[in-house]
Amino acid sequence: MAKAEGAPQGAQAAQTGAKEKKAKKIKRNVPRAIVHVKSTFNNTIVTVTDLNGDTIAWDSSGSMGFKGSRKGTPFAAQRAGENVAEKVKKMGVREVEVRVQGPGAGRESAVRAMQGRGIEVKSIEDVTPLPHNGCRPKKKRRV
């Protein structure tokens, strides 16, 4: 009897699951945001967050279709910056603070691309981590 009772419930659950609609994505209106540009020698990642730190949009040189050593170029970073700027303009972002990290070639070009797309850059800050005294050296070799 347990099987007979369990079967209709499972069938009902399957039917209701098919009828449920996906919740509609809410259009966010964020006038101010923070842009994090992480630029390495191999890639550039541009992430836009709101003031709480929640990601709104992101893009990278690799996701733009560049492969290999071309991902680390300023042009690839520029394209990623332009693409992110278009995404966040739809969400109402008008002015941003930029935080740049890393030694890569795409640092400035990503920021300039965002400015070129009509987003006002309020401040640019370098948040590259710097060691205060470095790692502990290896122990001395004894022969």
Side-chain angles (χ1 to χ4, degrees), residues 25-88:
K25 241 186 189 179
I26 302 165
K27 276 272 189 181
R28 294 179 65 182
N29 189 21
V30 185
R32 294 191 69 218
I34 302 170
V35 177
H36 300 271
V37 179
K38 184 176 182 184
S39 183
T40 65
F41 294 120
N42 296 321
N43 204 354
T44 301
I45 302 169
V46 183
T47 308
V48 182
T49 65
D50 60 11
L51 299 179
N52 295 331
D54 300 327
T55 301
I56 299 170
W58 68 274
D59 217 332
S60 69
S61 301
S63 68
M64 291 299 300
F66 292 93
K67 289 185 178 179
S69 59
R70 290 186 300 175
K71 287 192 300 185
T73 62
F75 178 68
Q78 178 186 342
R79 293 282 305 275
E82 288 171 356
N83 204 23
V84 167
E86 290 302 319
K87 285 180 187 177
V88 297

Side-chain angles (χ1 to χ4, degrees), residues 79-128:
R79 293 282 305 275
E82 288 171 356
N83 204 23
V84 167
E86 290 302 319
K87 285 180 187 177
V88 297
K89 274 184 92 172
K90 292 175 185 171
M91 296 179 190
V93 175
R94 290 188 304 277
E95 55 187 46
V96 294
E97 298 172 20
V98 179
R99 296 189 182 153
V100 188
Q101 180 178 347
R107 291 163 54 112
E108 284 114 47
S109 59
V111 177
R112 287 178 195 264
M114 293 202 78
Q115 280 179 320
R117 291 288 173 154
I119 293 176
E120 188 180 346
V121 175
K122 286 288 183 190
S123 65
I124 300 174
E125 185 182 356
D126 192 349
V127 292
T128 306

